[in-house]
Amino acid sequence: MKYNTTFLLCLFLFIGSNTFSQNEDLLKAINHDLWANFSKAFETLDYQLFSDLHCENLTRVSGDSHKIKNKTEYIEVYKTYWQDKSLKQIISFRFLERICGTEKASERGIYKLTRNPNTANEKSYYGKFHVILKKEESVWKILVDYDSSEGNSINEESYQNAYDINDFESFNK
C-alpha cells in the first residue's frame, strides 16, 4: 500500500504536536499543583500547605546532611522553623530535566532560596534537586525528594543555566 508523502508528513506533524501539547499540559498542571504552591508555602510560612504537597509515604533525602526522613520528620522541621513569622523568604525553581507521564513524573533542577529579599541582609542559597512526583486524586504531589548543594558548588550561574519553569518547549522529547 502506497502512502501519500504529504499525508504521512501531516500525520507525523499532528502526532508530534499532539504529544507536545499533552506534555505541555502535564507540565503546566505540575507547575500549578506543585511548584506555585511550594513557593507560596515558603513565602507565607504555611507548613500545612507545604505538607499537603507531599505524599503520605514521602521519602526525603538530604545529600548535604546524609539523612533520610519520612514525611512527619521532614514537615516537623518546617513547622518549628516557620513559627518565626518575621522570617522573609522566597524560593524559585529552574529545571534541567522534566520527564512526565499522566500519573508520575521525574524533575531535576536548581532551586534558589532567598532570605530577607530586597534588603541589605539579602542572602541566596542554591541546591540541585531531584523529585519523583505522583498524581494523587488528580493533584501532583512529591513522592521522593532529594537535594544537595553539591559541596556548595551550586550557585547563581548554575541557576541561570537551567531552564525557566515555563519553558515547556525545552522538555518536548
Side-chain angles (χ1 to χ4, degrees):
M1 178 183 269
K2 291 184 180 180
Y3 289 101
N4 179 317
T5 307
T6 305
F7 171 76
L8 289 175
L9 181 60
C10 288
L11 182 63
F12 176 75
L13 290 173
F14 173 76
I15 292 170
S17 67
N18 191 36
T19 302
F20 173 70
S21 176
Q22 180 185 17
N23 193 54
E24 182 175 343
D25 290 344
L26 290 168
L27 293 176
K28 284 180 178 179
I30 291 169
N31 286 356
H32 175 269
D33 292 352
L34 184 69
W35 299 118
N37 286 311
F38 199 107
S39 296
K40 181 179 179 182
F42 264 71
E43 290 175 25
T44 60
L45 309 176
D46 186 343
Y47 80 88
Q48 188 58 58
L49 173 59
F50 189 65
S51 178
D52 292 345
L53 302 174
H54 297 81
C55 296
E56 286 306 314
N57 57 340
L58 170 75
T59 300
R60 166 68 176 135
V61 182
S62 171
D64 292 337
S65 67
H66 303 282
K67 291 186 179 173
I68 299 176
K69 295 181 179 181
N70 64 30
K71 181 177 180 176
T72 303
E73 296 166 323
Y74 180 54
I75 298 303
E76 189 61 36
V77 171
Y78 287 92
K79 184 178 179 180
T80 301
Y81 187 64
W82 288 353
Q83 286 180 5
D84 177 3
K85 297 303 181 189
S86 69
L87 179 65
K88 302 294 181 216
Q89 62 184 7
I90 55 174
I91 192 166
S92 59
F93 306 92
R94 292 180 67 87
F95 292 86
L96 302 167
E97 177 182 80
R98 300 184 88 178
I99 302 169
C100 58
T102 56
E103 299 295 319
K104 293 188 179 171
S106 171
E107 300 201 311
R108 294 185 316 110
I110 309 292
Y111 69 83
K112 178 180 182 178
L113 172 63
T114 303
R115 298 258 164 82
N116 305 307
N118 304 312
T119 70
N121 296 326
E122 180 176 303
K123 174 97 171 113
S124 293
Y125 304 88
Y126 302 87
K128 187 178 277 188
F129 67 88
H130 185 179
V131 292
I132 304 298
L133 309 177
K134 180 180 176 188
K135 203 175 219 184
E136 287 187 350
E137 299 177 16
S138 300
V139 177
W140 287 99
K141 295 187 176 192
I142 300 172
L143 178 64
V144 178
D145 182 359
Y146 171 90
D147 76 8
S148 172
S149 69
E150 298 192 1
N152 291 316
S153 66
I154 308 300
N155 55 27
E156 181 67 23
E157 182 180 359
S158 309
Y159 179 79
Q160 291 300 327
N161 285 337
Y163 296 99
D164 184 82
I165 193 169
N166 293 313
D167 181 353
F168 306 115
E169 199 168 311
S170 294
F171 302 102
N172 180 25
K173 307 277 183 199

